[in-house]
C-alpha cells in the first residue's frame, strides 16, 4: 500500500526463497511456509514512514534506524496470528548476517534460524537485481559474484553456494513482466493542452 517496489519485491523474494528451500531438500510443506514468510518478510515496513521508504538517495542515520525496525514491527504484527508462528523467524531475522553484524539482534551463524538465512540471500539478491530509487539494477552475473563474495560474511556459505546454482530464468521473466506493467508517467505535451 505504501511502496509499490515492496509489492513486487516480496513476491520475487518469496519465489526465490521457496526455490532455495526446495534445492536444499526441505519437505514441500516447509518450502511453502518459507514462501509465505518471504511474501510477508517486509510487512513491518507498514510502520516505517513513507518518505523514508521512497527516499531517493542515501538515508540519514535516523532514517536507516527507522528502516531497521521493520523486522521487529513485522514480527509484532504477525505475532498474534496462531497459524503464522512458524514463519515469524523469516520476518524477524532476514536482516541478520552470518558474521553477526546484522540486525535486529546481531545473531551469527546457525543461531540465525534457517528460514531467516534463506530469506536473507533471496532478499539481498532481489535488492541488487532490481532498480531502486537510488540506483539501477545490477546485471545478473554481477549479483551472483556478490553473493559468492559475501558468503560467510553476510550469507550462510552453504546456502550461498546452492543459491547461485538456481535457475534464474523464471525470475528474470517475472522482472521483465513487472517492468512491462509499470505505468510510466505521461510525457508532457508541447501545447500544454490536456490530451
Amino acid at each position: 500500500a505504501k511502496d509499490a517496489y515492496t509489492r513486487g519485491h516480496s513476491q520475487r523474494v518469496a519465489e526465490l526463497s521457496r526455490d532455495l528451500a526446495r534445492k536444499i531438500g526441505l519437505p514441500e510443506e516447509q518450502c511453502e511456509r518459507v514462501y509465505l514468510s518471504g511474501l510477508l518478510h517486509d510487512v513491518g515496513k507498514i510502520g516505517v514512514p513513507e518518505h523514508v521508504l521512497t527516499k531517493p538517495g542515501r538515508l540519514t542515520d535516523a532514517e536507516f534506524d527507522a528502516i531497521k525496525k521493520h523486522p521487529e514491527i513485522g514480527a509484532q504484527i504477525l505475532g498474534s496470528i496462531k497459524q503464522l508462528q512458524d514463519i515469524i523467524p523469516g520476518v524477524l531475522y532476514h536482516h541478520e548476517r552470518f558474521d553477526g553484524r546484522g540486525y535486529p539482534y546481531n545473531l551469527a551463524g546457525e543461531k540465525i534460524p534457517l528460514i531467516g538465512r534463506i530469506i536473507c540471500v533471496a532478499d539481498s539478491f532481489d535488492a541488487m537485481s532490481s532498480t531502486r530509487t537510488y540506483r539501477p539494477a545490477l546485471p545478473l552475473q554481477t549479483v551472483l559474484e556478490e553473493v559468492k563474495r559475501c558468503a560467510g560474511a553476510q550469507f550462510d556459505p552453504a546456502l550461498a553456494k546452492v543459491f547461485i546454482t538456481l535457475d534464474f530464468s523464471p525470475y528474470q521473466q517475472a522482472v521483465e513482466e513487472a517492468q512491462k506493467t509499470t505505468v510510466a508517467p505521461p510525457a508532457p505535451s508541447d501545447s500544454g493542452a490536456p490530451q
Side-chain angles (χ1 to χ4, degrees):
K2 292 171 68 173
D3 180 12
Y5 166 76
T6 297
R7 188 177 321 118
H9 166 71
S10 293
Q11 180 67 44
R12 293 186 302 268
V13 169
E15 290 172 4
L16 287 167
S17 296
R18 180 175 54 195
D19 290 349
L20 179 55
R22 284 177 175 157
K23 190 89 178 216
I24 64 170
L26 295 184
E28 188 57 29
E29 184 179 327
Q30 196 172 351
C31 293
E32 291 306 315
R33 302 307 285 177
V34 168
Y35 173 83
L36 186 55
S37 189
L39 276 180
L40 295 171
H41 79 281
D42 275 344
V43 71
K45 286 185 176 177
I46 200 164
V48 176
E50 193 170 341
H51 74 274
V52 175
L53 289 176
T54 59
K55 180 181 178 179
R58 190 169 178 83
L59 298 176
T60 66
D61 288 345
E63 289 166 338
F64 187 53
D65 285 343
I67 287 280
K68 285 168 50 174
K69 292 178 182 171
H70 81 270
E72 290 176 293
I73 295 169
Q76 289 168 357
I77 289 169
L78 302 176
S80 62
I81 305 171
K82 189 176 89 173
Q83 297 87 341
L84 299 180
Q85 296 307 296
D86 63 320
I87 71 160
I88 291 174
V91 174
L92 185 57
Y93 302 121
H94 72 277
H95 281 292
E96 296 290 357
R97 291 173 48 113
F98 203 75
D99 62 10
R101 296 176 52 220
Y103 61 88
Y105 302 117
N106 303 111
L107 299 181
E110 294 189 6
K111 289 184 178 173
I112 306 165
L114 178 61
I115 193 169
R117 287 181 276 142
I118 289 171
I119 293 173
C120 176
V121 181
D123 182 41
S124 299
F125 174 89
D126 187 68
M128 291 185 279
S129 300
S130 305
T131 296
R132 307 296 290 265
T133 56
Y134 51 88
R135 61 140 182 80
L138 300 173
L140 176 62
Q141 200 52 49
T142 302
V143 177
L144 294 175
E145 287 300 321
E146 189 66 8
V147 170
K148 270 195 255 187
R149 189 183 72 75
C150 294
Q154 185 172 358
F155 309 124
D156 176 322
L159 292 177
K161 186 175 182 179
V162 174
F163 185 84
I164 62 173
T165 70
L166 294 177
D167 175 8
F168 293 102
S169 53
Y171 172 86
Q172 291 177 303
Q173 191 172 12
V175 169
E176 288 169 16
E177 287 300 315
Q179 288 170 344
K180 286 180 194 172
T181 60
T182 301
V183 179
S189 70
D190 292 333
S191 67
Q195 294 185 2

